[in-house]
Amino acid sequence: MAAQHDTYTALVNQPLGKRIAASLGLPQPAVLRRYQPGQVLVEGSVLVLGDSHAADETAAILLDWDVDVRRQPAPADRYGAVVACYDDAGTPADLSATTLQLGSVQRQLARCARVITVFRDPEASTVPAVRAARRGVEGMTRSLAHEMRRGSTANGLVLGKDTALSSAGATGALRFLLSSKSAFVSGQFVPVTAEAGEIPADWEKPLAGKVAVVTGAARGIGAAIAETLHRDGATVVGVDVPAAGQALAGVVNRLSGTALQLDITAADAGRRILTHCAERHGRLDIVVHNAGITRDRKLANMDAARWDSVIAVNIESQLAMNRAFLEASGQGIASGQLRIASLASTSGIAGNAGQTNYAASKAGVMGMVSATATEMAAVGGTINAVAPGFIETEMTARIPVATREIGRRLNSLQQGGQPVDVAEAIAFLVSDAAGGTSGQTLRVCGQGLMGA
Amino acid sequence: MAAQHDTYTALVNQPLGKRIAASLGLPQPAVLRRYQPGQVLVEGSVLVLGDSHAADETAAILLDWDVDVRRQPAPADRYGAVVACYDDAGTPADLSATTLQLGSVQRQLARCARVITVFRDPEASTVPAVRAARRGVEGMTRSLAHEMRRGSTANGLVLGKDTALSSAGATGALRFLLSSKSAFVSGQFVPVTAEAGEIPADWEKPLAGKVAVVTGAARGIGAAIAETLHRDGATVVGVDVPAAGQALAGVVNRLSGTALQLDITAADAGRRILTHCAERHGRLDIVVHNAGITRDRKLANMDAARWDSVIAVNIESQLAMNRAFLEASGQGIASGQLRIASLASTSGIAGNAGQTNYAASKAGVMGMVSATATEMAAVGGTINAVAPGFIETEMTARIPVATREIGRRLNSLQQGGQPVDVAEAIAFLVSDAAGGTSGQTLRVCGQGLMGA
């Protein structure tokens, strides 16, 4: 699948283009570092700030990964990442020392560097000063993400009440946020609220031995997800409508997977997926609900066909399929540790003119994910969503050029994301290393300005 | 207090300016209808959609308020408001009929009309389809708010698990959202989760007999809050630093209130407020934490003085004062039904470059409010926050013109709000009619595009 082209970003990353953009005050998006097999986790050393237990654990984990760890800022150091630990903050005044240290090293950050703040779930404390301090870290992190330059990002890792940073889930989230797999994730928070998950035997093949279903796999983001899950070791079952059969066959053949032509709104869609996986692969571990449609109209011009089809395809189908998977979970085919991931959208968070139907369906997906997490936990599984912002696809390539240029730049990284950026977030969330995270929606939007 | 001037909005609301703006495709912000004593609640009839219990209750309440209520759309009708009730939605497909009816009457909405969706708290159900349906209403409402024109708004009224629309708190929220007091509130949700609150004897004087403390009352939004609470019947105690003593005296003398010169970061600030209210007024019912400062710098250039002073003034002071008020509540001076409201900021929600300290403090305020709600409930009180977006004040008047023009237009109403818009939201939240709402943050931002 060819990546869509962003001519402007290519231009301003050449010497002449860079000078012109700088002199005119134009956006200067960086070429983001993206994951390649065998790539070093972080380029440069990693500074761990804070005197807390999580800081000590972070340093130990990083040493175990052969990362060059520093515990004190030094003027000559160049940092690929800074992990700022606030897990012992008891009142907003406690944020000062670590934050000022974090500020003092901002100019020593490498290109595409990572800032990760570590703190505990604000909702896990009922003490006003404690919750204020934790929310304060969120506000600081979001602001800092707006200030990052040269492809660097700032995100938060949020630990549950008693969740240790050394737990598998927190370790997995730390690695995702440090890595180039989170290239287009900024200003976001990954909550790890359960001491669950499992460190993979091989970080390069975290999905080895798994069977993964991807709906809407024939093209675009779905095809990128299929490719990424395959890269990570999974056997992929591509699902799409019969009309996309040829494109679907092309994708799954390339990945040595299997294809299932299916209308996901059919009453027996879940059952047919289960049967296909049983007969062809003998198991089912991962489901990615990627298939979705848009039928845009302002509400004043909305007809029943447009409204109902978007709701049926984007949300009702997932509710019905999940019921089938949950009923089968642990019995026969479906894995006892089923991991489900759904595609939401920033439109479902912020709303969007012309998309009352689409936004309702995608907000619905986020509600479904948060409510289904409890049932999934009962069978040892997880469910999460990814909400993409502006992603460069064949669909966005058809947007008129001026609108597209604006859409692309309205985020802190000043560029659209690639389908693989969404796929990396999905691949992380369906891995056992993300087992401590469930019911959540992770935005992959470069800290898009539009929000609720 | 003079309202700040928005020349552009004035211009495009004159015949020639309107034609020029239309032909050039420029923003055409409407002059918003704002509250005046004696004003009719809604201009035009109100259409109540849905066959649910809440719809019937809404119609009964509106009839009681002498509103011209309709239960079926009619092509010749002109609506000042539409209330769309989704409280019985059990799955996303259930949203269709009411939403398509809502769409069919969009062109019959009057200037500065209101759309209010009524649904139950998504978190109050653990059933995936139910929570998906309720979140779906949120996504639809947010999108519709983006589509509203001519000063009209769309907001949601969110009922708790068993909260009746006929409860005092829900009735109060319905009235606020219908009224011109919510002129600059759009794309927002008011949760009413407790069967608490009290309908005022006189909707024109909902704060009659109350004593209200307003910090930072000498100017700007604080002065507008003081004036609005006075208009609603409260006796106002204006608090500000000694350096603002003359301006403060001007405000409180005009309102027949009293002044208290005080540094809110002093350890005994809460105690001094309690003593002042006891000695001068014999009671204390309402506290509005409005005082706040900015000390903007990128984090790379942040010094301890800037960081610490913003945290101390904007959040630590409120935490300390609230402890004093809670200790005194019900004993001696502080009212057994103390109502607290704090000023947050959309910067605390979305983050803002150059404001790591301010955003941390304002996110902290929202965390404090949500955590303190439990303690307040124990003494029969409430605590909430208001997060203003771009408001026309002396402060924003000093922003360079181009930046100010952009800041003003980046919301669905395409204009900055007035200080009184923030004050109306505060006056609502500290009234007994808002007694069913606690721990919440209400944005007053015209559905500002920037969000988390």
Side-chain angles (χ1 to χ4, degrees), chain A residues 186-423:
Chain A
S186 195
Q188 306 306 314
F189 300 89
V190 178
V192 182
T193 51
E195 289 262 356
E198 203 176 310
I199 297 294
D202 178 359
W203 282 109
E204 300 250 314
K205 295 284 178 194
L207 304 179
K210 308 278 188 185
V211 173
V213 167
V214 180
T215 67
R219 59 175 62 85
I221 290 173
I225 292 168
E227 288 184 16
T228 303
L229 300 188
H230 169 74
R231 179 204 69 193
D232 282 358
T235 300
V236 172
V237 177
V239 174
D240 218 313
V241 290
Q246 202 171 346
L248 179 66
V251 170
V252 299
N253 289 344
R254 203 161 62 238
L255 308 177
S256 313
T258 61
L260 173 61
Q261 293 186 11
L262 178 72
D263 174 359
I264 55 168
T265 64
D268 64 346
R271 179 54 45 195
R272 285 188 57 199
I273 287 171
L274 287 163
T275 304
H276 174 97
C277 290
E279 292 175 355
R280 299 293 297 275
H281 306 283
R283 62 186 295 162
L284 170 57
D285 305 277
I286 292 163
V287 175
V288 181
H289 291 302
N290 163 74
I293 59 171
T294 55
R295 296 287 182 275
D296 295 358
R297 279 287 186 284
K298 293 233 169 109
L299 191 61
N301 306 316
M302 186 69 69
D303 55 72
R306 280 195 173 77
W307 178 273
D308 291 338
S309 61
V310 167
I311 299 292
V313 173
N314 293 8
I315 173 67
E316 290 287 357
S317 73
Q318 297 188 20
L319 286 162
M321 286 187 279
N322 287 352
R323 278 193 294 270
F325 300 144
L326 272 161
E327 279 166 21
S329 190
Q331 301 161 19
I333 177 59
S335 161
Q337 285 199 352
L338 188 64
R339 304 212 183 275
I340 301 179
S342 280
L343 266 284
S345 163
T346 51
S347 284
I349 298 169
N352 195 14
Q355 296 200 312
T356 49
N357 50 356
Y358 185 73
S361 74
K362 293 302 191 179
V365 163
M366 293 184 275
M368 174 197 75
V369 158
S370 84
T372 309
T374 311
E375 296 171 47
M376 292 297 290
V379 299
T382 58
I383 181 167
N384 291 285
V386 168
F390 188 98
I391 303 296
E392 306 279 354
T393 62
E394 288 170 31
M395 194 175 79
T396 54
R398 286 194 297 267
I399 297 173
V401 60
T403 313
R404 189 170 71 234
E405 259 310 298
I406 293 169
R408 265 179 185 152
R409 308 298 162 210
L410 284 182
N411 63 65
S412 294
L413 292 166
Q414 301 185 309
Q415 60 193 289
Q418 294 293 331
V420 72
D421 297 328
V422 178

Side-chain angles (χ1 to χ4, degrees), chain A residues 91-96 99-100 102-104 106-107 123 125-129 131-133 135-140 142-144 146-147 149 297-304 307-308 311 315-316 319 323 347-356 359-361 363-368 370-372 375 443 447-452, chain B residues 91-96 99-100 102-104 106-107 123 125-129 131-133 135-140 142-144 146-147 149 297-304 307-308 311 315-316 319 323 347-356 359-361 363-368 370-372 375 443 447-452:
Chain A
T91 192
D94 292 344
L95 312 181
S96 180
T99 304
L100 291 166
L102 178 55
S104 75
Q106 286 296 301
R107 292 193 181 79
E123 298 303 309
S125 172
T126 58
V127 179
R131 195 180 291 176
R135 288 263 173 243
V137 180
E138 283 187 8
M140 188 280 290
R142 286 205 170 96
S143 297
L144 182 58
H146 285 294
E147 297 178 8
R149 293 291 173 266
R297 279 287 186 284
K298 293 233 169 109
L299 191 61
N301 306 316
M302 186 69 69
D303 55 72
W307 178 273
D308 291 338
I311 299 292
I315 173 67
E316 290 287 357
L319 286 162
R323 278 193 294 270
S347 284
I349 298 169
N352 195 14
Q355 296 200 312
T356 49
S361 74
V365 163
M366 293 184 275
M368 174 197 75
S370 84
T372 309
E375 296 171 47
R443 287 174 60 156
Q447 195 179 35
L449 289 182
M450 262 89 91
Chain B
T91 192
D94 292 345
L95 312 181
S96 180
T99 304
L100 290 167
L102 179 56
S104 74
Q106 287 296 300
R107 291 194 180 79
E123 298 303 309
S125 173
T126 58
V127 179
R131 194 179 293 176
R135 288 263 172 244
V137 179
E138 283 187 7
M140 187 280 289
R142 286 206 170 98
S143 296
L144 182 58
H146 286 294
E147 297 178 8
R149 293 291 172 267
R297 279 286 188 283
K298 294 234 170 109
L299 192 61
N301 306 316
M302 186 69 69
D303 54 70
W307 178 273
D308 292 338
I311 298 292
I315 173 66
E316 289 287 357
L319 285 162
R323 278 193 294 271
S347 285
I349 298 169
N352 195 13
Q355 295 200 313
T356 49
S361 73
V365 163
M366 292 184 276
M368 173 196 76
S370 82
T372 309
E375 295 170 49
R443 287 174 61 155
Q447 195 180 34
L449 289 182
M450 261 89 91

Side-chain angles (χ1 to χ4, degrees), chain A residues 2-16:
Chain A
Q4 296 297 318
H5 213 59
D6 176 357
T7 316
Y8 178 85
T9 296
L11 202 69
V12 297
N13 279 284
Q14 287 163 1
L16 181 61

